[in-house]
């Protein structure tokens, strides 16, 4: 009986992981970047969740114009990224810098440094909506 319980638990964990991976692979591609999903949790505010993602940008890579169904908080881990937010002048972030991208604001990001760049993106978004939508 104990062995059966372990097998069932393992199957449930595998199914949950596959569902999570499938949902992530359905996200639109922003360019040649790597997105590592770190967490996704419901908030105490109904209809809102927090999602945290590490985003790695090889040299010269551009994340195409897109938006999110909520706020994005960016913390630069390494490198230099240029952010182009609609209605604002471009801004270059370096390691240790932070940026708030308001709900629904379209933006594009370019690695303008000489090496790789990485950021920690924290999203406070509407539950059940796609994390990102490509810009028009």
């Amino acid at each position: 009986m104990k062995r059966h319980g372990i097998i069932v638990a393992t199957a449930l964990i595998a199914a949950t992981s596959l569902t999570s991976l499938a949902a992530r692979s359905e996200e639109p591609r922003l360019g040649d970047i790597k997105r590592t999903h770190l967490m996704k949790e419901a908030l105490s505010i109904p209809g809102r969740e927090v999602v945290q993602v590490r985003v790695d940008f090889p040299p010269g890579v551009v994340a195409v114009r897109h938006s999110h169904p909520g706020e994005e908080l960016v913390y630069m881990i390494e490198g230099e990224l240029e952010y182009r937010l609609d209605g604002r002048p471009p801004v270059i972030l370096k390691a240790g810098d932070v940026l708030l991208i308001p709900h629904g604001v379209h933006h594009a990001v370019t690695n303008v440094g000489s090496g790789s760049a990485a950021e920690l993106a924290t999203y406070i978004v509407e539950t059940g909506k796609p994390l990102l939508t490509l810009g028009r």
Side-chain angles (χ1 to χ4, degrees), residues 37-135:
H37 289 256
L38 304 172
M39 71 171 293
K40 180 177 182 178
E41 295 286 336
L43 294 174
S44 60
I45 303 165
R48 293 284 178 171
E49 63 187 3
V50 62
V51 178
Q52 235 177 15
V53 179
R54 179 186 168 118
V55 187
D56 290 279
F57 298 77
V61 165
V62 175
V64 299
R65 192 168 176 272
H66 62 284
S67 66
H68 307 283
E71 286 73 21
E72 176 182 5
L73 299 116
V74 174
Y75 171 77
M76 284 296 300
I77 297 169
E78 64 178 330
E80 294 181 42
L81 295 176
E82 179 185 69
Y83 276 82
R84 293 185 171 268
L85 281 68
D86 284 3
R88 295 189 186 176
V91 61
I92 294 178
L93 300 183
K94 297 177 182 180
D97 289 343
V98 294
L99 177 69
L100 171 68
I101 302 171
H103 179 270
V105 172
H106 285 88
H107 54 285
V109 186
T110 303
N111 181 345
V112 294
S114 59
S116 295
E119 68 178 27
L120 177 64
T122 303
Y123 306 94
I124 299 177
V125 293
E126 297 174 50
T127 304
K129 290 205 173 176
L131 185 58
L132 58 96
T133 303
L134 296 180

